Amino acid sequence: MADILIRSVVKSYGRTKVVHGIDLDILHGDFAVILGPSGCGKSTLLRMIAGLEEIDAGEIAIAGRVVNELEPRERGCAMVFQNYALYPHMSVAENIGYSLKIMGIRKAERLERVAAVARIVGLEEFLDRRPAQLSGGQRQRVAMARAMIKEPQVFLFDEPLSNLDAKLRVQMRIEIRRLHRRLGGTSVFVTHDQVEAMTLADKLVVMNAGRIEQVGTPKEVYHRPASLFVAGFIGSPPMNIMRVERATPGLARLASGATLQMPRLDTVPESSLRLGIRPEDIELVAPGTPGAMEMPVEFVEELGAGHLVHGEFEGAEFVVALPGAIEVVAGGRLHMRFPPEALHMFDAVSGLRLDGGEKASGLSSGAVREFA
Amino acid sequence: MIERTPLLNFTTHAILIVGLVMLLLPLWIVFVASTHDFRTVNTVPMPLWPGSHMVENYVAAWTQSGFGPKMLNSLVMAIGVTTGKIAIAALSAYSIVYFRYRLRMVFFWLVFITLMLPLEVRIVPTYAVAANAFRPLQVLLDVFGMSWLLESVTGLRLVLPEWSLLNSYSGLILPLIATATGTFLYRQFFLTVPDELLEAAKMDGTGPLRFLFDILLPLSKTNMAALATIMFVYSWNQYLWPLLIVTDPAYGTAVMQLQRIVPGPLFGEPPRWHIAMAGTLIVMLPPLLVVVFMQRWFVRGLINQDK
Ligand SMILES: Nc1ncnc2c1ncn2[C@@H]1O[C@H](COP(=O)(O)OP(=O)(O)OP(=O)(O)O)[C@@H](O)[C@H]1O
Ligand SMILES: [Mg+2]
């Protein structure tokens, strides 16, 4: 079983610490996606698993074996790189079969296995070409085939789709997922594209500044972000955040003095906190409804299936996602209601989620919405 | 530059043509001189148009000088030096670029500094070493007291045998194969190879040697061709070093031989320039062929350049 167990792993470059003690279990058969902003240490973590980067402290075990001191080739991992890193002077077939050649496998068997893998990724016609004579998507497939042919226990992907155009990316995403199911190993996929992360992951790992912010299924991460960072990072457009003070029981007071019904507020001790609401969880109400919030509309972003209404609310940028049927024009006013069950509570100081309790709304009903 | 203005076009072409003429004119004069007889060549001014004695001059040059074996010696030397230089340059650059060890940069700079020490500067010590290749070792042993130690313990004095490189192919080749230029060229090339290629190779399970032979060297083919061309011409044209260490005519090189067919006033004879010029052109031919051949190779390398 190719479990990857990561314990208190630390990495520094010179004096700057870039990975601050990471603990993570990726179990056999998982498709784990590591998601985070640029420079947060995703690639570094992946490269430590691969053995391309030394582990400064802590331990990584793959399939029950601590691999800290092992060479990359002894770890049973294969990796797909962002810019593919194909050998430019070798043909596609040679690229794919190179690792077998190094293992000393006979030519006849090698060719057979190359052909089999090439069939899976649809490269049969291109086996004699050089990488320079392939399109980006085809090169990507060669890189995948090169990783697959070793039949590794662990697949590592470092942003392998980021050089492809949008359509191809969607297609390759599906293929990668299919391959994972078919090969049945453990996959770790690094990306900073949240749509990619959401659609691929069984296990989504959100990283920020060298630390793990949250681990969970994409649904959990989306519906119950563990911190203000995750709330702001996952979802496009991101969650709206408001500063509030606890007023009388069950009421939150916004900076402007307006109040908001929030029964759950009483379950937490903090008096100064942040409330978050997803743009699509906001409901529109008739003007004059008690408790309605009002926001001037600055501009409207048309998405086809719906639109995003941008404005300023409580001194901060605010976005409301509306279905296409509702007409909104710039310069108008929006009257909205925040369903209490759709509000997320965070500690103002630590940024951590406050309620352990009820699940935030079935409002967006399961499926993660993609805004292209 | 994709700029196209007639004036600019004209000027650049004019400059190119003037440069070309200036380069080719001496060659032309050499050629013309090699086609006249003794008398015409020594008239002032010499004619600038080829004469009718070409064949006999070349035959004379070839037979009088015995170029056959000398050319072979030159070839052995040039190929040996070129191969050696490429091997040494690739290996030392590989070490400097891909391995982290103490004093790495010190070694790099040491190699680099030798650019300032061409053969001519270090020719006397090099000759001393060539006369006895074990001498540096003996000196080290003596200086560090090893021979003395051995002598006092065993009563024997350690004397290394003499190993003379004079009058041998090794002597012609070995002292010339260290190359700072080549090392630098290779270093620059290795620096342009993306790190991910090394990482991909590591994931595929290569060790350092396989990476060098399977990936780096094949990628550096065009580089190697360039270096080989330059170095072949350089070593073919070596004059001073062979002259110094070769006394046995069996190891003489073609360029050395050239000097023998210009019996200047020293020999009490008028110089036979027509034969000398024919000899010059004969000796120039092999490097010229190498350049022409390799140049086609470069162009091919450039055309299906893999990015
Ligand atoms: N070789 C290195 N030397 C010094 N610092 C480095 C080195 N490699 C990475 N870093 C630093 O480590 C941090 C994490 O880098 P890493 O490559 O893991 O980021 P990332 O999350 O993969 O970002 P991206 O999404 O842009 O690829 C960055 O701040 C980077 O500047
Ligand atoms: Mg990265």
Side-chain angles (χ1 to χ4, degrees):
Chain A
M1 292 284 109
D3 295 344
I4 305 172
L5 307 180
I6 300 171
R7 294 286 172 269
S8 322
V9 162
V10 172
K11 176 76 194 176
S12 318
Y13 288 112
R15 267 200 219 119
T16 38
K17 214 168 169 182
V18 296
V19 171
H20 302 260
I22 282 199
D23 290 291
L24 180 64
D25 290 354
I26 301 170
L27 301 182
H28 183 81
D30 272 351
F31 198 116
V33 176
I34 303 177
L35 175 65
S38 192
C40 71
K42 311 179 291 287
S43 298
T44 308
L45 181 60
L46 193 77
R47 293 159 51 80
M48 284 194 282
I49 299 175
L52 297 173
E53 209 75 72
E54 297 251 348
I55 300 164
D56 286 349
E59 259 181 19
I60 295 181
I62 300 176
R65 215 162 39 130
V66 174
V67 296
N68 286 37
E69 301 300 328
L70 296 187
E71 289 290 314
R73 62 168 170 271
E74 300 164 318
R75 299 190 181 196
C77 302
M79 186 155 169
V80 180
F81 295 85
Q82 176 170 1
N83 51 15
Y84 320 136
L86 302 178
Y87 311 120
H89 59 294
M90 296 187 194
S91 70
V92 168
E94 286 168 330
N95 261 287
I96 299 177
Y98 185 57
S99 61
L100 299 186
K101 186 172 164 189
I102 287 171
M103 282 187 236
I105 289 175
R106 281 177 311 108
K107 189 161 184 191
E109 184 188 343
R110 224 157 67 205
L111 290 178
E112 215 167 279
R113 283 173 67 178
V114 167
V117 170
R119 202 167 319 122
I120 297 178
V121 296
L123 279 173
E124 295 121 306
E125 309 149 48
F126 304 108
L127 286 176
D128 293 330
R129 296 224 196 145
R130 293 287 175 90
Q133 299 163 318
L134 298 177
S135 73
Q138 289 161 345
R139 279 181 221 181
Q140 165 68 51
R141 281 160 214 263
V142 178
M144 302 262 298
R146 185 171 66 174
M148 281 162 57
I149 199 161
K150 286 191 288 182
E151 292 166 5
Q153 302 173 294
V154 174
F155 267 106
L156 305 172
F157 300 89
D158 192 354
E159 309 202 22
L161 306 182
S162 55
N163 289 346
L164 303 179
D165 67 43
K167 200 172 158 198
L168 205 53
R169 208 181 300 175
V170 174
Q171 191 186 331
M172 288 305 296
R173 224 153 66 195
I174 296 167
E175 282 183 27
I176 288 181
R177 198 55 236 215
R178 191 177 291 148
L179 270 176
H180 171 76
R181 206 169 310 136
R182 176 171 182 163
L183 302 173
T186 309
S187 299
V188 186
F189 188 106
V190 161
T191 180
H192 60 242
D193 179 336
Q194 47 168 308
V195 176
E196 208 167 282
M198 288 284 190
T199 48
L200 280 171
D202 301 322
K203 181 175 241 169
L204 183 55
V205 180
V206 184
M207 270 184 80
N208 180 32
R211 294 197 168 78
I212 290 186
E213 291 274 335
Q214 185 169 11
V215 182
T217 63
K219 244 191 217 178
E220 280 166 10
V221 172
Y222 187 80
H223 292 299
R224 297 180 50 74
S227 64
L228 275 175
F229 172 81
V230 179
F233 189 71
I234 305 280
S236 170
M239 189 180 278
N240 297 298
I241 305 290
M242 301 166 277
R243 316 161 154 267
V244 298
E245 296 288 334
R246 190 211 301 270
T248 49
L251 273 189
R253 189 187 305 110
L254 296 170
S256 65
T259 56
L260 197 61
Q261 288 269 338
M262 181 85 200
R264 273 188 295 144
L265 209 55
D266 303 333
T267 60
V268 298
E270 287 79 2
S271 64
S272 164
L273 34 108
R274 301 272 187 279
L275 285 185
I277 185 160
R278 294 247 174 240
E280 62 273 21
D281 287 345
I282 296 167
E283 293 173 359
L284 291 194
V285 292
T289 312
M293 304 283 167
E294 200 180 314
M295 180 183 79
V297 175
E298 277 171 16
F299 65 95
V300 180
E301 235 180 310
E302 200 53 57
L303 296 178
H307 35 233
L308 298 178
V309 182
H310 293 257
E312 199 182 300
F313 183 69
E314 295 294 326
E317 276 186 49
F318 207 84
V319 186
V320 182
L322 296 174
I326 301 172
E327 277 298 323
V328 184
V329 289
R333 301 186 87 73
L334 216 57
H335 300 273
M336 37 187 200
R337 185 181 93 88
F338 304 148
E341 66 280 11
L343 287 166
H344 305 256
M345 291 190 290
F346 300 98
D347 187 318
V349 183
S350 69
L352 295 180
R353 185 178 190 85
L354 282 174
D355 57 330
E358 79 198 78
K359 205 158 179 161
S361 88
L363 284 176
S364 43
S365 73
V368 175
R369 296 166 64 162
E370 269 185 35
F371 291 93
Chain B
M1 293 283 281
I2 329 172
E3 226 163 300
R4 277 185 207 279
T5 59
L7 186 65
L8 207 65
N9 260 352
F10 175 78
T11 322
T12 44
H13 275 97
I15 293 174
L16 275 176
I17 289 166
V18 168
L20 198 66
V21 167
M22 277 165 60
L23 271 173
L24 288 182
L25 195 63
L27 266 180
W28 175 252
I29 292 175
V30 169
F31 172 70
V32 169
S34 75
T35 58
H36 287 287
D37 60 8
F38 179 70
R39 173 114 32 98
T40 330
V41 161
N42 285 308
T43 51
V44 181
M46 200 190 88
L48 281 177
W49 211 245
S52 56
H53 298 267
M54 179 163 158
V55 177
E56 58 187 84
N57 286 349
Y58 281 79
V59 170
W62 184 270
T63 45
Q64 283 178 20
S65 60
F67 268 141
K70 309 288 171 191
M71 287 275 212
L72 207 66
N73 286 343
S74 279
L75 205 66
V76 169
M77 175 185 174
I79 289 177
V81 171
T82 307
T83 321
K85 272 183 189 287
I86 288 177
I88 294 259
L91 278 178
S92 42
Y94 184 49
S95 145
I96 285 166
V97 175
Y98 283 94
F99 294 85
R100 303 273 164 275
Y101 49 88
R102 296 173 76 198
L103 301 184
R104 190 169 58 100
M105 284 323 278
V106 174
F107 285 119
F108 174 67
W109 284 109
L110 278 178
V111 170
F112 198 68
I113 283 172
T114 62
L115 269 181
M116 288 182 275
L117 295 174
L119 182 74
E120 288 72 14
V121 176
R122 59 184 167 91
I123 202 155
V124 172
T126 310
Y127 182 84
V129 173
N132 178 7
F134 283 139
R135 195 169 135 159
L137 204 59
Q138 179 84 57
V139 169
L140 277 182
L141 287 177
D142 291 348
V143 166
F144 289 105
M146 299 290 276
S147 346
W148 174 82
L149 196 69
L150 211 67
E151 194 174 350
S152 48
V153 173
T154 62
L156 293 172
R157 182 160 162 70
L158 176 74
V159 181
L160 293 173
E162 284 208 359
W163 178 28
S164 168
L165 298 178
L166 305 181
N167 288 320
S168 71
Y169 287 130
S170 355
L172 280 172
I173 294 169
L174 290 180
L176 295 180
I177 63 174
T179 167
T181 325
T183 307
F184 194 68
L185 208 84
Y186 258 102
R187 172 180 177 267
Q188 294 311 98
F189 170 73
F190 287 162
L191 289 178
T192 65
V193 173
D195 287 345
E196 287 196 357
L197 226 48
L198 171 63
E199 296 180 344
K202 275 189 189 165
M203 298 302 295
D204 273 346
T206 51
L209 271 184
R210 286 211 80 142
F211 179 66
L212 177 67
F213 284 107
D214 283 358
I215 297 178
L216 281 184
L217 292 186
L219 281 178
S220 70
K221 271 189 292 191
T222 15
N223 247 316
M224 210 184 279
L227 196 61
T229 314
I230 298 170
M231 290 313 175
F232 185 91
V233 175
Y234 162 87
S235 33
W236 181 274
N237 289 339
Q238 279 304 313
Y239 176 62
L240 192 55
W241 180 249
L243 197 63
L244 202 63
I245 78 154
V246 169
T247 43
D248 177 354
Y251 290 99
T253 65
V255 176
M256 281 166 73
Q257 199 62 15
L258 211 49
Q259 168 239 12
R260 308 245 153 91
I261 59 172
V262 194
L266 209 61
F267 297 82
E269 276 182 53
R272 295 171 317 185
W273 286 117
H274 54 307
I275 308 288
M277 292 302 115
T280 308
L281 286 178
I282 291 175
V283 172
M284 266 176 64
L285 204 60
L288 193 72
L289 286 178
V290 167
V291 170
V292 169
F293 174 74
M294 289 304 239
Q295 192 200 16
R296 282 175 54 194
W297 212 89
F298 286 142
V299 174
R300 195 151 46 131
L302 289 179
I303 288 173
N304 52 12
Q305 194 182 37
D306 301 309
K307 227 209 79 70

